[in-house]
Amino acid sequence: MAADLKHWAGKFKSLTDSDATIGAMAKYYTCTFMYDMGDAKVIVEMHDGKVKHINTNPAPLDAYDFALRASAASWREFGKPVPRPHFHGIWAASFREDLKIEGNITVLMQNLRNFTVQFELLRKCGVPV
Amino acid sequence: MARHSPVTGRYVTIEVDGLEYKVFYLHNGKGTPLVCQHTAGCHNHQWRGLLEDEEITRDYNVIAYDLARHGKSDPPLNVEWWKSEYKLTADHYVNFITTLCDALELDNPIFMGSSFGGNVALQLAMRHPDRFRAVIPVEAADYAPGFFLDWWRHPHVNAAQVCASGTWDLMAPQSPDMDRWLTWHYYTQGSEVFKGDLYFYSVDHDLRRDLDRIDARRCPVVMMTGTYDFLTPPEVTENTARRIKGGIYIEMTDIGHFPMSENYPVFRVYLKEALRIIREKTGG
């Protein structure tokens, strides 16, 4: 499980750092967020459009700006190449499915363009749950 | 040789509820007027595919206007509009559309709108069934709560990007990247009005107890919704259509809340069917 998670983190970092759409407006895309996928949790630290670090074993007091929490089943839908309706984005899934967006949502909104693009990279690398 | 589009644009000045508007509209085609309303916080380029559709414009005079405060239609010119918060009401929206149709001397037009344009199409069918040949409410419902949010023009965020990326997953992942990003681009341009538009969409528009006042036998109502629309999911539109006397519902597969803009080739298949139904029912 730990090895799988680290392997996934490497793929997600590589896809993010090489993504042209994020790269086109990378400056100031700086924030820290958690993907809470039920069985697996990661904290992604972004700095100027690049992944600075992915914490694959967060401790209880490790900090982040905001979190996306949903069941593993929902994350598996997010990670499909073409997700089903209502699993095709964080707005759709928070309005219609079990996704909860918690924490400092202002930071999410300040970074919404790139965060949205990056979230869709899950369709290429899948999810570790 | 210049590569001109057959689409042309004009301005017309109208007065609505004491407010003077200089309204911009694009048009192309001849025949039955087909008046098109863009979605909230957007403008008439969403209808770019339809405006240049050679087959449809052979028989339909397509008119896609910018609602006041959107695109090239300025806010009212005779009041200090910047001193009050913009909140679009159903009354004013309906009056704007009927006044514009009168100014353009349109004879018994079909009205089509998407999202908040679809919801106002239902309002038109209820309030003015004898003035419209038919209405095509796209991505519409009797009631659409939940989108009147402060985030759309919050001073601590880049509102242009919040409006554009906040509506991103209203579109289907199957829709072409170019068209989804063009729609995103349009949405960066309307952030000052998006929230005020959504006052109509999510608050003032509430026909849950009024659908029996719409008679689609007098003014045909053909509702169409895409399967990737999470704001008005297909079942919500279908339930609305079922409660309208004579209402018709068409489900659009693998498309979202901005169908005419995010994937026109798919949308036009369903639109042609809607127009066929209307011709059958009205003879025109």
Side-chain angles (χ1 to χ4, degrees):
Chain A
M1 182 70 180
D4 289 349
L5 205 49
K6 286 212 162 100
H7 179 67
W8 172 86
K11 279 200 296 184
F12 189 60
K13 173 178 166 51
S14 172
L15 283 169
T16 300
D17 291 354
S18 61
D19 188 86
T21 310
I22 294 173
M25 202 179 165
K27 196 175 179 185
Y28 303 121
Y29 180 32
T30 300
C31 58
T32 303
F33 54 84
M34 172 181 272
Y35 286 166
D36 181 344
M37 300 178 257
D39 297 339
K41 295 177 177 57
V42 297
I43 295 177
V44 179
E45 191 177 343
M46 297 298 303
H47 185 81
D48 277 353
K50 303 285 186 193
V51 174
K52 187 175 176 186
H53 179 61
I54 298 181
N55 177 352
T56 55
N57 187 24
L61 298 183
D62 287 351
Y64 48 85
D65 296 310
F66 59 91
L68 269 60
R69 306 187 198 279
S71 62
S74 289
W75 284 93
R76 282 193 284 274
E77 290 293 338
F78 298 154
K80 288 184 176 167
V82 181
R84 284 194 287 130
H86 301 172
F87 293 96
H88 61 294
I90 64 169
W91 291 74
S94 62
F95 269 65
R96 299 290 170 191
E97 302 298 335
D98 68 352
L99 178 67
K100 305 288 180 225
I101 303 172
E102 297 174 356
N104 190 345
I105 295 177
T106 302
V107 176
L108 167 63
M109 294 297 171
Q110 287 167 335
N111 293 284
L112 191 62
R113 175 196 183 273
N114 282 332
F115 181 85
T116 302
V117 173
Q118 188 180 16
F119 184 79
E120 292 190 0
L121 294 177
L122 296 176
R123 297 175 192 173
K124 293 182 178 171
C125 66
V127 294
V129 286
Chain B
M1 188 69 177
R3 295 168 60 192
H4 276 128
S5 163
V7 180
T8 53
R10 288 196 77 176
Y11 291 94
V12 61
T13 298
I14 61 175
E15 189 178 309
V16 185
D17 302 331
L19 300 177
E20 183 185 320
Y21 295 123
K22 193 170 178 181
V23 180
F24 178 73
Y25 63 98
L26 294 167
H27 67 105
N28 183 33
K30 57 188 178 192
T32 304
L34 177 57
V35 179
C36 302
Q37 168 69 58
H38 54 78
T39 62
C42 209
H43 56 70
N44 58 9
H45 275 197
Q46 285 185 312
W47 297 103
R48 65 195 179 282
L50 173 60
L51 281 158
E52 294 190 337
D53 186 317
E54 289 182 13
E55 185 183 348
I56 291 178
T57 55
R58 247 197 322 262
D59 299 313
Y60 293 89
N61 176 19
V62 177
I63 297 157
Y65 60 91
D66 287 338
L67 184 65
R69 301 170 187 254
H70 300 71
K72 289 182 172 61
S73 294
D74 284 342
L77 301 173
N78 60 339
V79 295
E80 295 177 322
W81 51 268
W82 56 94
K83 293 184 177 177
S84 60
E85 185 180 356
Y86 167 60
K87 284 184 180 175
L88 182 64
T89 64
D91 289 347
H92 191 60
Y93 198 1
V94 164
N95 291 343
F96 180 96
I97 293 164
T98 54
T99 304
L100 177 64
C101 290
D102 285 346
L104 298 180
E105 299 178 351
L106 302 179
D107 178 28
N108 208 16
I110 298 170
F111 182 88
M112 173 165 62
S114 183
S115 183
F116 92 143
N119 287 356
V120 83
L122 293 173
Q123 297 274 351
L124 292 169
M126 181 179 75
R127 299 174 187 222
H128 298 292
D130 299 326
R131 297 190 54 158
F132 293 90
R133 185 182 306 256
V135 297
I136 306 175
V138 182
E139 317 299 330
D142 53 352
Y143 184 51
F147 234 42
F148 181 59
L149 301 171
D150 286 338
W151 291 115
W152 307 128
R153 64 192 298 255
H154 195 297
H156 294 186
V157 302
N158 179 338
Q161 291 192 350
V162 170
C163 292
S165 292
T167 53
W168 177 259
D169 51 78
L170 281 166
M171 295 182 276
Q174 295 91 337
S175 292
D177 280 350
M178 176 61 77
D179 294 288
R180 285 194 296 160
W181 278 102
L182 280 175
T183 306
W184 185 93
H185 177 68
Y186 304 155
Y187 260 92
T188 64
Q189 298 164 15
S191 57
E192 275 301 305
V193 291
F194 191 38
K195 186 186 170 196
D197 287 347
L198 293 170
Y199 178 78
F200 164 75
Y201 178 77
S202 278
V203 181
D204 204 39
H205 171 80
D206 184 353
L207 297 182
R208 284 175 293 177
R209 293 178 182 170
D210 293 311
L211 288 178
D212 60 351
R213 293 172 57 197
I214 302 176
D215 186 349
R217 294 166 301 189
R218 279 175 76 189
C219 175
V221 177
V222 183
M223 303 187 73
M224 307 199 293
T225 284
T227 51
Y228 274 85
D229 185 347
F230 73 82
L231 264 186
T232 49
E235 64 273 17
V236 175
T237 302
E238 186 174 11
N239 287 337
T240 301
R242 275 190 183 154
R243 292 176 52 210
I244 293 172
K245 285 185 286 287
I248 290 170
Y249 168 67
I250 298 173
E251 185 164 302
M252 300 187 287
T253 302
D254 291 348
I255 201 164
H257 193 75
F258 308 128
M260 66 293 191
S261 185
E262 68 177 83
N263 197 343
Y264 182 70
V266 168
F267 177 65
R268 79 186 293 275
V269 174
Y270 298 101
L271 175 59
K272 283 170 63 179
E273 174 62 6
L275 294 172
R276 186 194 66 74
I277 292 168
I278 291 167
R279 276 196 307 275
E280 198 175 277
K281 289 183 176 296
T282 66

